[in-house]
Amino acid sequence: AGQFLSKNGLGEAAVIGFFLGGGARVGKGGEVRRWPPESYAQLAEKLIEKTGRPIILISSPKEEDVCLSVAERMVRRPVMASRTSLGEAAALIERCRFVVLNDGGPVHIAAGVGARMMAFFGPVDPVVYGPYPSKGHVIVTKGLPCQPCYRNFRMSDCSHANCLKTLTVDEVFRKVAGLL
């Protein structure tokens, strides 16, 4: 992580990490567990504007397309770490001032390395599947009456998938402000 940050001109800068994947293990329909790329891009721009901190987009090689989708929507170029191994991702997450991510394995990686996080939970119950310990983290849900709809290790046949799509950048920014 230190070498990566130095190579990208960040040194000891307090960076903000975005881990954009997650939900792959659920299989078909797992993408509903992800906040939309255009929303991530807008949030990244707003965080750079308000904090002056660089953004690192982190993903596994299998989810590199998500990082590219976010990066191409941004005016201010993020640092790309889109081909990381599990160990590299953990090391980068540990060095971030905080990390913004979708529910899934990355939440537990961040909790395991002691990183502060803001995690999106749509169809999945954060009480059951959220970070442990939960103290010091920000959990973002829309709070729709149908949430959570992931039960018994299965995604529901949701007809709208609005639990993450309808979360606005402004709503999320207000919640992430506590980590700033």
Side-chain angles (χ1 to χ4, degrees):
Q3 287 176 338
F4 177 86
L5 293 172
S6 292
K7 183 176 127 187
N8 285 283
L10 300 173
E12 295 298 316
V15 299
I16 299 170
F18 279 30
F19 197 108
L20 302 169
R25 190 163 173 205
V26 172
K28 188 174 190 265
E31 64 278 351
V32 300
R33 293 174 61 182
R34 296 179 182 168
W35 202 40
E38 57 276 9
S39 298
Y40 263 116
Q42 290 171 23
L43 179 64
E45 292 285 357
K46 195 166 191 165
L47 285 168
I48 292 169
E49 179 185 318
K50 299 290 185 186
T51 69
R53 299 183 192 282
I55 301 287
I56 296 179
L57 302 182
I58 307 167
S59 77
S60 70
K62 288 181 180 178
E63 297 169 319
E64 183 178 29
D65 60 325
V66 181
C67 280
L68 293 172
S69 179
V70 170
E72 64 192 26
R73 288 174 163 87
M74 292 178 64
V75 174
R76 297 171 186 96
R77 286 288 156 220
V79 174
M80 299 289 286
S82 58
R83 300 189 135 263
T84 60
S85 68
L86 192 60
E88 291 165 340
L92 281 172
I93 288 170
E94 186 176 26
R95 298 286 294 269
C96 291
R97 172 122 172 110
F98 66 88
V99 65
V100 178
L101 37 71
N102 301 302
D103 85 273
V107 165
H108 305 293
I109 292 169
V113 299
R116 295 180 332 145
M117 75 181 86
M118 186 188 76
F120 295 104
F121 280 81
V124 176
D125 188 346
V127 174
V128 177
Y129 296 101
Y132 182 83
S134 62
K135 188 174 181 177
H137 306 300
V138 176
I139 304 300
V140 179
T141 66
K142 187 66 177 181
L144 298 177
C146 54
Q147 282 179 280
C149 62
Y150 176 80
R151 293 190 179 95
N152 300 320
F153 305 103
R154 297 203 191 293
M155 294 296 294
S156 72
D157 291 330
C158 179
S159 63
H160 57 79
N162 284 332
C163 50
L164 291 176
K165 282 193 270 183
T166 58
L167 271 171
T168 69
V169 173
D170 288 335
E171 285 175 303
V172 172
F173 185 79
R174 282 192 296 275
K175 292 189 179 216
V176 81
L179 294 173
L180 299 175

